[in-house]
């Protein structure tokens, strides 16, 4: 794996974390990071958005607009290459919003990995 790549999970909403008792996305990202011998960096706060399961494609993109913020990042932020990990790809709204937040913070290259695709 190229040096300087960090694996970043899409965090579950706080409600989903409470319901499940854990953050399944963080668990997936940690497994990917271990496999790649790369650090796992929890850079994103849980999204401020409503559940998307019943939303249309357009509603999902609107729902995720500005839904993410960074956590624990200071002015010495230096991560430039990220593999963004999510469990399911439906419309891409979540990945687009998270990637935009990371790019705004200075991440140069964002690649995405998901484990399922819903049509």
């Amino acid at each position: 794996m190229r040096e300087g790549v960090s694996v970043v999970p899409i965090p579950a909403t706080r409600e989903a974390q409470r319901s499940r008792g854990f953050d399944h996305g963080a668990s997936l990202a940690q497994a990917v990071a271990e496999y790649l011998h790369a650090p796992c960096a929890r850079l994103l706060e849980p999204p401020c958005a409503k559940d998307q399961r019943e939303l249309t494609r357009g509603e999902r993109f609107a729902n995720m607009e500005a839904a993410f913020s960074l956590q624990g990042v200071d002015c010495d932020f230096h991560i430039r290459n990220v593999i963004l990990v999510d469990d399911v790809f439906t419309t891409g709204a979540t990945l687009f919003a998270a990637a935009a937040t990371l790019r705004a913070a200075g991440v140069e290259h964002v690649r995405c990995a998901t484990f399922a695709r819903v049509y």
Side-chain angles (χ1 to χ4, degrees):
M1 188 91 247
R2 194 168 74 192
E3 189 175 332
V5 173
S6 295
V7 177
V8 175
I10 296 284
T13 63
R14 286 184 172 83
E15 182 180 324
Q17 287 182 45
R18 275 192 302 276
S19 171
R20 291 184 186 104
F22 68 103
D23 185 344
H24 67 293
S27 298
L28 289 169
Q30 185 62 48
V32 170
E34 288 172 11
Y35 180 79
L36 297 174
H37 304 288
C40 186
R42 292 187 180 198
L43 298 179
L44 299 169
E45 288 283 347
C48 295
K50 62 183 176 181
D51 188 293
Q52 300 209 120
R53 287 178 279 193
E54 302 299 321
L55 301 180
T56 66
R57 184 178 199 283
E59 290 169 338
R60 285 172 181 244
F61 275 89
N63 186 46
M64 293 309 294
E65 191 173 316
F68 289 101
S69 60
L70 295 177
Q71 75 174 4
V73 175
D74 58 26
C75 60
D76 192 27
F77 184 74
H78 62 278
I79 295 174
R80 298 290 176 246
N81 300 294
V82 160
I83 298 172
L84 188 58
V85 175
D86 200 4
D87 58 346
V88 178
F89 180 96
T90 305
T91 62
T94 300
L95 291 168
F96 278 104
T101 299
L102 293 169
R103 282 194 305 274
V107 174
E108 294 173 12
H109 302 282
V110 179
R111 304 293 186 263
C112 300
T114 61
F115 291 84
R117 172 73 167 110
V118 176
Y119 294 94

